[in-house]
Amino acid sequence: VKCHGASQQKGGLRLDTAAAARQGGGRGPAIVAGDSRGSLLVVAIEGSHAELPRMPYKRTPLDSAEIARITAWIDAGAVAPATE
């Protein structure tokens, strides 16, 4: 969360809480609970967005297992603790 955490939100996007990811940034919600294919976060970490470079930017890409965990979490409703 170096670029999308409490101290810095590139593109107005904060990803250190599920609520913030649902709210999103300048391009809209980063996640759509129950719809990983419609979630900008998944498209960005897979590197398949037409206008965005693969995320995390200028860092090692997430491996397929990490992307699968994020995708499964979103598809399962992106449930997070109420006190996140």
Side-chain angles (χ1 to χ4, degrees):
V1 292
K2 180 178 180 183
C3 296
H4 301 288
S7 62
Q8 182 176 194
Q9 298 89 40
K10 297 254 180 167
L13 177 60
R14 187 169 174 178
L15 293 174
D16 58 336
T17 69
R22 279 188 206 94
Q23 181 179 344
R27 294 181 183 265
I31 61 172
V32 178
D35 183 13
S36 63
R37 301 304 337 143
S39 295
L40 182 59
L41 176 65
V42 173
V43 176
I45 62 177
E46 288 179 336
S48 58
H49 193 281
E51 298 174 15
L52 292 174
R54 178 186 293 263
M55 297 292 159
Y57 187 64
K58 293 186 178 180
R59 297 193 176 271
T60 304
L62 301 179
D63 64 38
S64 59
E66 292 169 319
I67 293 172
R69 280 193 296 275
I70 293 167
T71 300
W73 173 70
I74 293 170
D75 285 337
V79 177
T83 59
E84 61 178 351

